[in-house]
Amino acid sequence: MRNLFFNLKQYTLESILGPLFKLLEAMFELFVPLVVADIVDRGIGAGDRSFVVSRFLLLIALGVIGIVCSITAQYFAAKASVGCAAALRRSLYDHIQKLSFSDLDRIGVPTLITRLTGDLNTVQNGLNLALRLLLRSPFVVFGAMIMAFTIDARAALIFLAAIVILAAVVFGIMLGSVPAYKKVQEELDSLTGTTRENLTGARVIRAFGMERGEREKFASHNDALYRRQLFAGRISALMNPLTFVILNGGIILLLYTSGVRVSEGGLTVGQTVALYNYMTQILVELVKFANLIISISKAVSCMKRVDEVLRTEPAMRFPDADPREDPTAPAVEFRNVTLSYNGGDPALTDLSFKVGHGETVGIIGGTGSGKSSLAALIPRFYDVTDGEVLVDGVNVKDYPAKTLRDKIGYVLQRASLFKGTIRSNLLWGGDADGEALDAAITSAQAADVILSKEDGLDSAVEQNGRNFSGGQRQRLTIARALVRRPEILILDDSASALDFATDAALRKELAGLDYKPATVIISQRTASIRHADKIVVLDDGAVAGIGTHDALLKTCSVYREIYESQYGKED
């Protein structure tokens, strides 16, 4: 909860004024039964019509003042809760951006989405209710009890007993509901993950006719969530009936006791009405308080989940100062690199090779051989388990994140575009004028994509680039990487959707780039890497061979099998 209170400090004034105006409203409300008692005893009892009218006007005044105080309190409470939730959302989002890929893999993307949206909305609503009612309800309850003691101490003992019993019920239910709602949120994470997986993989599911199995899987998670919610709801549902039973029992006992006292002359009718009104106020406020406790229980549970992410220390630390580079060193060097994901079996084992400045190196291997894992180590998306990855003679761990990644143009295996325009997507690669953009577009073979659009570079891009084909997305993401004129260009199977002619033209353009980047091409096509200066063949995370295309055909059985599977033995 420390993060909640830290962000709430920015709204200290609103956090004070909101409850303060609610207390003022409650104070005026406590005077209402006394005014009603006066109307009954001194006005109606004595037949004084002018007195009744004056007290009636006083009731209207108390009501108007109460409404003004209530609206003012709502304004300040809303401002504080919405502002605090927005600050928390920014903090959480900024923190998530600092987490490494391994952190994201461990926590899980679906749960992060749930905590960033649903959990923080619950926290916001709970905070709003707490600022308005957390002090008001107890104030009215104890205020009504004190006012009852000023009227008749013997009858007020009933109030005291009812409040003690109700407090035990409320806090008992709260202690049971907090862990129950935490488990509800965990089940919601599972359901969100399943839903996200189904929606993103909808085409694959339908292609393989797995709709029934996925529906059953979703139904299983949905039923589990239903059972958790039902259990938590049953605990929460005890609140209202128990409070009503206790308080109505108190009202019956109060009316009986007061009736006896009235017949004895110890109480007036007006005082009995006032006591009844105070008991009714307690009933209403405790019902509100009971529901408030449930909302706060949910909010506390959700805030703990948000805190778990905020307390997660990023697995990677980056220095602030730029290191001294060695201009004579290779652009990229792997030295006995081993990589394991979250303590599992090694994805890469004892990997060693170099990529010189201006050199093109091809990486090839079977599915799951570690090609993409290798590429992710150069910009330090993951840290090696053993060994070193060096860029310009410096360990990537010694680079500030921006310095390292500004050197690299990385085209991921899955082409990702963002909602906006083609121009705004290309400018992710860096600030560039029209000439630089045209050069990058031409080199990436994306000119025809631009020309086919009516608005050219200002054509709209939908979320995930869904208004473009796979090949168009790949060419645009390659152009985006080329805009920054990188020192190191990494193409992680980024031409898989291109035809052979376009792929060949792309490779020719990349070879002729005037700034001569060190290029790492990862592909499953031997045609895409056969003209590379050097080819690294991976097999189950280890180097099976390094050399040129012709040399590997003679010396590396893994490479030869890949080649023959694509072209046949005669070729």
Side-chain angles (χ1 to χ4, degrees):
M1 301 298 286
R2 180 175 59 86
N3 291 296
L4 177 66
F5 294 126
F6 176 78
N7 286 285
L8 196 58
K9 281 182 181 179
Q10 305 172 49
Y11 301 92
T12 303
L13 181 62
E14 290 83 356
S15 300
I16 294 172
L17 290 177
L20 180 61
F21 275 96
K22 268 295 178 182
L23 291 180
L24 286 173
E25 178 204 356
M27 189 180 300
F28 290 118
E29 188 175 322
L30 288 173
F31 288 121
V32 170
L34 295 180
V35 177
V36 173
D38 273 352
I39 292 174
V40 173
D41 289 339
R42 297 174 57 187
I44 298 173
D48 189 345
R49 182 174 296 180
S50 62
F51 184 84
V52 172
V53 172
S54 66
R55 288 296 181 267
F56 179 72
L57 292 175
L58 179 58
L59 285 177
I60 292 175
L62 289 173
V64 171
I65 295 170
I67 289 173
V68 171
C69 290
S70 178
I71 293 172
T72 306
Q74 176 60 56
Y75 169 77
F76 287 120
K79 186 175 180 181
S81 58
V82 171
C84 179
L88 274 170
R89 199 172 284 112
R90 282 193 298 269
S91 298
L92 183 60
Y93 185 81
D94 289 344
H95 187 73
I96 290 172
Q97 297 303 311
K98 297 175 185 176
L99 298 178
S100 66
F101 279 22
S102 57
D103 294 325
L104 297 177
D105 293 342
R106 178 174 50 82
I107 298 172
V109 173
T111 185
L112 289 175
I113 294 172
T114 302
R115 297 181 198 205
L116 193 59
T117 53
D119 284 354
L120 278 175
N121 284 339
T122 303
V123 171
Q124 176 181 314
N125 294 334
L127 181 58
N128 191 335
L129 290 171
L131 290 174
R132 291 191 291 118
L133 299 177
L134 191 59
L135 291 180
R136 183 193 189 281
S137 292
F139 180 81
V140 171
V141 169
F142 289 105
M145 184 181 70
I146 291 169
M147 298 299 279
F149 269 102
T150 64
I151 296 173
D152 186 71
R154 191 187 303 177
L157 291 175
I158 299 170
F159 285 72
L160 183 60
I163 290 170
V164 171
I165 296 170
L166 284 167
V169 170
V170 167
F171 285 103
I173 291 174
M174 183 185 71
L175 292 174
S177 63
V178 170
Y181 280 113
K182 184 176 181 180
K183 291 178 180 178
V184 166
Q185 292 301 121
E186 290 171 357
E187 289 293 346
L188 182 60
D189 283 345
S190 299
L191 185 65
T192 304
T194 302
T195 305
R196 183 174 182 272
E197 186 179 57
N198 275 271
L199 293 177
T200 54
R203 294 184 181 182
V204 178
I205 291 169
R206 293 179 185 180
F208 283 89
M210 295 296 292
E211 292 94 336
R212 181 176 178 180
E214 292 301 315
R215 280 197 297 268
E216 291 173 355
K217 182 179 177 183
F218 178 86
S220 174
H221 285 292
N222 195 36
D223 288 344
L225 176 61
Y226 167 75
R227 287 192 297 271
R228 292 288 188 191
Q229 287 178 323
L230 194 62
F231 177 72
R234 282 172 176 166
I235 295 175
S236 301
L238 291 173
M239 190 77 76
N240 283 353
L242 286 177
T243 52
F244 271 99
V245 166
I246 295 168
L247 278 166
N248 281 305
I251 288 173
I252 292 170
L253 185 59
L254 175 67
L255 290 176
Y256 173 77
T257 304
S258 299
V260 173
R261 297 273 291 153
V262 169
S263 65
E264 293 175 350
L267 280 177
T268 65
V269 174
Q271 288 175 326
T272 302
V273 171
L275 288 171
Y276 173 78
N277 285 339
Y278 281 128
M279 183 63 86
T280 304
Q281 283 183 348
I282 290 175
L283 171 63
V284 172
E285 291 304 324
L286 280 174
V287 170
K288 286 182 185 177
F289 194 65
N291 292 322
L292 172 65
I293 291 297
I294 294 172
S295 298
I296 290 177
S297 299
K298 293 179 182 178
V300 168
S301 176
C302 290
M303 191 61 219
K304 286 180 179 178
R305 286 160 46 80
V306 172
D307 276 335
E308 285 176 8
V309 180
L310 290 171
R311 286 197 303 267
T312 300
E313 290 294 329
M316 293 182 181
R317 295 288 184 182
F318 292 88
D320 297 324
D322 290 340
R324 293 184 61 182
E325 299 171 355
D326 182 0
T328 63
V332 179
E333 182 178 359
F334 281 70
R335 290 182 182 172
N336 308 113
V337 168
T338 296
L339 170 67
S340 297
Y341 291 111
N342 295 319
D345 294 333
L348 298 172
T349 307
D350 198 24
L351 213 64
S352 296
F353 68 92
K354 299 177 182 179
V355 183
H357 291 280
E359 187 178 26
T360 298
V361 173
I363 310 292
I364 196 169
T367 301
S369 60
K371 303 185 295 297
S372 295
S373 298
L374 180 154
L377 294 176
I378 300 173
R380 202 188 170 197
F381 292 154
Y382 294 93
D383 271 337
V384 298
T385 307
D386 289 305
E388 291 180 305
V389 178
L390 296 92
V391 171
D392 291 330
V394 178
N395 193 315
V396 292
K397 294 181 180 180
D398 297 328
Y399 277 102
K402 181 170 174 54
T403 303
L404 174 63
R405 289 165 187 170
D406 280 350
K407 290 175 170 285
I408 299 169
Y410 195 167
V411 185
L412 293 166
Q413 192 170 11
R414 181 181 176 184
S416 295
L417 296 174
F418 296 86
K419 187 175 178 63
T421 64
I422 294 176
R423 186 189 303 275
S424 67
N425 273 272
L426 294 181
L427 290 177
W428 276 53
D431 294 331
D433 55 22
E435 186 177 341
L437 288 177
D438 290 340
I441 290 166
T442 302
S443 297
Q445 306 300 301
D448 62 323
V449 179
I450 311 297
L451 292 173
S452 66
K453 300 294 181 180
E454 184 177 345
D455 296 325
L457 284 172
D458 295 314
S459 299
V461 177
E462 297 296 330
Q463 190 177 23
N464 293 326
R466 59 174 177 261
N467 55 330
F468 292 87
S469 69
Q472 289 174 329
R473 286 199 298 270
Q474 284 192 336
R475 283 178 283 171
L476 288 173
T477 53
I478 293 170
R480 180 174 60 193
L482 296 178
V483 165
R484 65 172 36 179
R485 298 172 66 87
E487 296 177 26
I488 302 166
L489 178 62
I490 303 172
L491 304 177
D492 184 3
D493 205 13
S494 54
S496 58
L498 304 184
D499 58 73
F500 284 99
T502 306
D503 187 15
L506 172 65
R507 284 185 279 109
K508 183 178 179 181
E509 286 288 339
L510 295 179
L513 292 173
D514 56 359
Y515 48 91
K516 301 297 180 185
T519 305
V520 178
I521 301 176
I522 298 172
S523 179
Q524 295 187 18
R525 294 179 182 174
T526 54
S528 298
I529 60 169
R530 66 182 298 169
H531 299 294
D533 300 310
K534 182 165 54 185
I535 299 172
V536 178
V537 184
L538 296 181
D539 183 31
D540 197 21
V543 174
I546 298 179
T548 62
H549 170 75
D550 292 333
L552 289 171
L553 282 177
K554 298 176 182 177
T555 61
C556 181
S557 59
V558 175
Y559 185 78
R560 188 166 57 251
E561 287 175 10
I562 295 172
Y563 179 80
E564 289 176 352
S565 69
Q566 296 173 7
Y567 293 99
K569 292 186 177 182
E570 293 82 359
D571 292 338

